[in-house]
Amino acid sequence: MPKPAAPQNHVQLRENAEGRLKGGTAPIYEGTPGAEALAMLHKLASTPASASDALKLLHELQVHQVELDLQREEMERSRQELNDDLERYARLYAFAPVGYFSVDANDKIIEANIAGAQLLGVERDAVCGLRIDACLTATSRPLLLDLLQRRRDGGSRETCVVYAEADENRLRPLQVAAISAPDDQSLFVVFLDTV
């Protein structure tokens, strides 16, 4: 991942803007200066005593516009980097080889990745609102729910092994770990198929 560009301080920004103006690489401003600003510049430029002031003011306006353009370019670059990071982390979550779940205080699934939905035997779009213990055997449900309650009560990170029904004659062991989410209202739960 490329390191984001450090924000420029005002002095650096001004130096870059001045350099672009002198080098002729400043983008052409597409906006229209206000009528009042043009009238003031015209008035200053028409009097020999204030013509140099008008040129200085015009230069300041140009530098300021280039500074704004540089800031816009930097913001666009940062936005693109954030979008790229978001996309990468979304893929990492969605396609992880273990079942990830966010679970609310009522043990209902808020969010799940693809592997998690597959463990429950449902489509990812249909998993929200289901109970986290839906795919487990009757004897395993209390084990998972006790683990989740201990985490909510401030217990340390714990794991347990529970069983899901794989088919009519076979049980599938799942290693479960849970941690509190940063919002302290939900839990993050991981199911790892140990087969």
Side-chain angles (χ1 to χ4, degrees):
M1 175 175 105
K3 185 177 180 180
Q8 297 180 359
N9 67 35
H10 182 69
V11 174
Q12 290 173 318
L13 191 61
R14 180 155 183 100
E15 288 173 0
N16 287 345
E18 291 272 2
R20 282 194 178 189
L21 277 173
K22 286 179 184 170
T25 59
I28 297 172
Y29 176 56
E30 294 179 10
T32 306
E36 290 177 19
L38 289 175
M40 185 175 67
L41 278 174
H42 184 269
K43 182 179 175 184
L44 287 172
S46 18
T47 312
S50 60
S52 66
D53 290 340
L55 289 175
K56 287 178 188 174
L57 184 57
L58 178 61
H59 177 75
E60 284 301 312
L61 289 171
Q62 289 173 326
V63 169
H64 183 66
Q65 181 59 49
V66 174
E67 287 174 349
L68 291 173
D69 289 340
L70 288 170
Q71 288 175 332
R72 183 192 51 74
E73 288 172 9
E74 186 175 325
M75 285 174 44
E76 181 59 31
R77 229 181 354 267
S78 294
R79 186 192 64 75
Q80 186 59 49
E81 288 173 3
L82 286 172
N83 283 343
D84 292 347
D85 286 348
L86 178 62
E87 185 178 315
R88 189 174 80 254
Y89 284 111
R91 280 193 319 267
L92 181 66
Y93 173 81
F95 297 106
V98 297
Y100 283 130
F101 299 93
S102 295
V103 180
D104 70 12
N106 297 315
D107 301 318
K108 292 192 178 187
I109 298 168
I110 301 167
E111 187 176 16
N113 68 348
I114 294 169
Q118 288 172 344
L119 282 172
L120 296 178
V122 297
E123 293 294 320
R124 186 175 180 201
D125 295 338
V127 77
C128 293
L130 294 178
R131 289 189 51 85
I132 189 67
D133 58 350
C135 71
L136 302 181
T137 63
T139 56
S140 290
R141 287 180 183 155
L143 294 172
L144 174 63
L145 297 179
D146 287 345
L147 170 78
L148 299 182
Q149 189 57 52
R150 286 193 305 274
R151 278 304 299 146
R152 287 187 184 102
D153 292 340
S156 62
R157 181 173 180 230
E158 296 182 50
T159 63
C160 69
V161 176
V162 294
Y163 293 90
E165 295 183 21
D167 55 40
E168 294 175 9
N169 300 321
R170 193 170 61 91
L171 297 179
R172 181 175 58 206
L174 301 170
Q175 180 78 31
V176 180
I179 60 169
S180 296
D183 64 10
D184 286 331
Q185 302 299 312
S186 57
L187 296 174
F188 293 141
V189 181
V190 176
F191 282 28
L192 175 62
D193 196 341
T194 60
V195 179

